[in-house]
């Protein structure tokens, strides 16, 4: 056996292992097809009622900013620029992403990067800190809809935002790295407002489809993995933790079944981390521009943000004596 053959055989093992896992997954879907369909239907209804309505219009606005036909005034972008260590153009994409939620900021940042308006460092920073659910989803969907208390949603959102701003500030670089900007489309013909609007709506619609697809896929993954929680000492808590690592909406639903304070703390973690689902959606929107190290860096930022939001929400609950 030659060295090249040995290397080739080693490369085949991960694919074969994944193939075996995929076969077992499909068999499970067939065996539990009835319940599997119910889970998918619940996820689709949630996306239609909560996720898409709370994000779509903001996604269009973010794409318009990314296209260069609209921008925020300096008094709004300057503080964001200073806190997160990005330029004014990048701050214009990050600002709606922070408050409207994913995929607004990431989508706008990818458009700006394609136009050569921001560099790779800014693209990663914006993607890391705008990869959270929006204010409408957290307060109305999670707080009022799942936890049954809008005030709980406000506390969760405040916890997440404090964490995002704190981690963003303490991890920023004092001066913007002088990296080469992406210029593949920088010389493209400038798009007028009607053309930019049409493109923004189209791209936003595509992003909604991507987002819904990931929610559906991870609802299935969650359905087959969470039964493992029954083998632990605290099955309900273990189930909520597993779901919080995978997909934010499923996680918040599971957290709502726990004690109110614990449910709020775990929901804050889930909203700040946003699940592997959001991390993969980030890759889906700008995968050709992200390397493995970029995605790892984004995930680390998200994890620090999630742990901070978890601690902040616990402190707020303690101060307000929420039980």
């Amino acid at each position: 056996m030659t060295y090249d053959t040995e290397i080739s055989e080693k490369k085949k093992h991960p694919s074969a292992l994944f193939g075996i896992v995929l076969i077992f997954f499909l068999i499970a879907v067939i065996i539990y097809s009835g319940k599997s369909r119910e889970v998918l239907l619940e996820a689709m209804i949630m996306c239609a009622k909560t996720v898409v309505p709370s994000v779509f219009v903001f996604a269009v606005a973010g794409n318009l900013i990314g296209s260069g036909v609209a921008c925020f005034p300096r008094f709004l972008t300057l503080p964001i620029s200073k806190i997160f260590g990005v330029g004014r153009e990048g701050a214009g994409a990050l600002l709606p992403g922070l408050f409207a939620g994913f995929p607004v900021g990431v989508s706008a940042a990818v458009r700006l990067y394609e136009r050569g308006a921001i560099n790779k460092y800014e693209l990663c920073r914006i993607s890391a800190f705008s990869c959270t659910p929006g204010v409408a989803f957290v307060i109305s969907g999670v707080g009022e809809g799942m936890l049954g208390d809008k005030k709980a949603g406000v506390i969760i959102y405040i916890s997440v935002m404090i964490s995002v701003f704190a981690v963003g500030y303490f991890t920023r670089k004092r001066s913007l790295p002088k990296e080469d900007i992406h210029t593949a489309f920088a010389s493209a013909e400038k798009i007028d407002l009607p053309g930019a609007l049409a493109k923004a709506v189209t791209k936003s619609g595509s992003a909604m489809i991507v987002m819904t697809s990931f929610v559906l896929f991870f609802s299935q993954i969650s359905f087959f993995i969470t039964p493992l929680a029954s083998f632990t000492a605290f099955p309900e808590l273990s189930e909520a933790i597993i779901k919080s690592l995978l997909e934010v909406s499923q996680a918040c639903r599971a957290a709502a079944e726990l004690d109110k304070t614990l449910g709020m703390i775990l929901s804050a973690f889930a909203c700040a981390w946003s699940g592997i689902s959001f991390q993969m959606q980030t890759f889906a929107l700008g995968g050709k521009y992200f390397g493995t190290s970029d995605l790892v860096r984004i995930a680390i930022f998200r994890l620090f943000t999630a742990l901070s939001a978890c601690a902040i929400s616990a402190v707020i609950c303690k101060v307000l004596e929420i039980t």
Side-chain angles (χ1 to χ4, degrees):
M1 180 184 295
T2 66
Y3 177 77
D4 289 339
T5 305
E6 185 178 354
I7 294 295
S8 178
E9 288 184 358
K10 285 182 180 179
K11 288 183 179 179
K12 291 180 182 178
H13 291 304
S15 297
L17 178 62
F18 181 74
I20 292 171
V21 172
L22 185 59
I23 289 171
F24 277 106
F25 176 72
L26 294 175
I27 290 173
V29 170
I30 294 171
I31 293 174
Y32 298 98
S33 58
K35 183 61 178 176
S36 177
R37 283 197 299 269
E38 289 180 16
V39 170
L40 282 176
L41 183 59
E42 284 182 13
M44 289 180 70
I45 292 173
M46 183 199 64
C47 287
K49 285 187 173 181
T50 306
V51 179
V52 174
S54 66
V55 173
F56 179 73
V57 175
F58 294 101
V60 174
N63 273 291
L64 285 173
I65 291 168
S67 67
V69 298
C71 66
F72 289 112
R74 183 178 175 80
F75 75 89
L76 289 176
T77 58
L78 184 59
I80 298 297
S81 175
K82 296 293 185 183
I83 292 171
F84 290 93
V86 297
R88 185 186 174 191
E89 293 82 0
L94 183 54
L95 183 60
L98 287 170
F99 300 104
F102 186 88
V104 178
V106 178
S107 182
V110 169
R111 294 289 303 280
L112 287 171
Y113 184 64
E114 289 176 344
R115 290 178 46 239
I118 61 174
N119 61 28
K120 184 70 168 291
Y121 170 80
E122 293 173 284
L123 174 63
C124 291
R125 295 279 293 176
I126 297 165
S127 299
F129 294 112
S130 62
C131 190
T132 55
V135 59
F137 176 80
V138 176
I139 294 178
S140 298
V142 176
E144 188 174 22
M146 299 180 191
L147 295 173
D149 184 0
K150 185 175 285 189
K151 185 173 73 173
V154 172
I155 292 172
I156 292 169
Y157 184 73
I158 290 174
S159 301
V160 172
M161 285 297 102
I162 292 175
S163 178
V164 167
F165 276 79
V167 175
Y169 179 78
F170 288 111
T171 59
R172 81 197 193 287
K173 293 183 178 180
R174 296 294 179 181
S175 59
L176 201 59
K178 296 185 181 301
E179 300 177 4
D180 292 335
I181 59 175
H182 182 74
T183 56
F185 303 96
S187 61
E189 183 180 355
K190 185 177 180 181
I191 303 175
D192 57 9
L193 181 58
L197 180 60
K199 197 168 185 178
V201 172
T202 302
K203 282 186 170 289
S204 299
S206 299
M208 296 303 103
I209 294 173
V210 169
M211 187 166 59
T212 301
S213 299
F214 274 97
V215 171
L216 296 180
F217 176 73
F218 276 92
S219 70
Q220 288 290 280
I221 297 295
S222 176
F223 170 65
F224 290 111
I225 290 180
T226 48
L228 297 174
S230 61
F231 297 102
T232 66
F234 304 98
E236 289 185 350
L237 176 60
S238 299
E239 178 181 343
I241 292 173
I242 291 172
K243 288 183 175 180
S244 70
L245 297 174
L246 296 175
E247 201 275 317
V248 61
S249 57
Q250 297 289 328
C252 292
R253 283 193 177 190
E257 301 298 323
L258 304 173
D259 168 78
K260 183 176 182 179
T261 302
L262 184 58
M264 289 173 62
I265 293 171
L266 195 55
S267 294
F269 175 89
C271 289
W273 165 245
S274 301
I276 297 174
S277 172
F278 270 24
Q279 318 294 330
M280 292 186 66
Q281 288 176 57
T282 300
F283 180 74
L285 288 175
K288 59 185 176 181
Y289 306 128
F290 293 121
T292 302
S293 60
D294 298 323
L295 294 173
V296 170
R297 193 179 303 115
I298 289 171
I300 291 173
F301 281 140
R302 300 305 317 156
L303 183 59
F304 274 119
T305 304
L307 293 174
S308 301
C310 191
I312 292 167
S313 63
V315 170
I316 294 176
C317 288
K318 182 71 174 177
V319 171
L320 298 180
E321 297 182 349
I322 296 175
T323 57

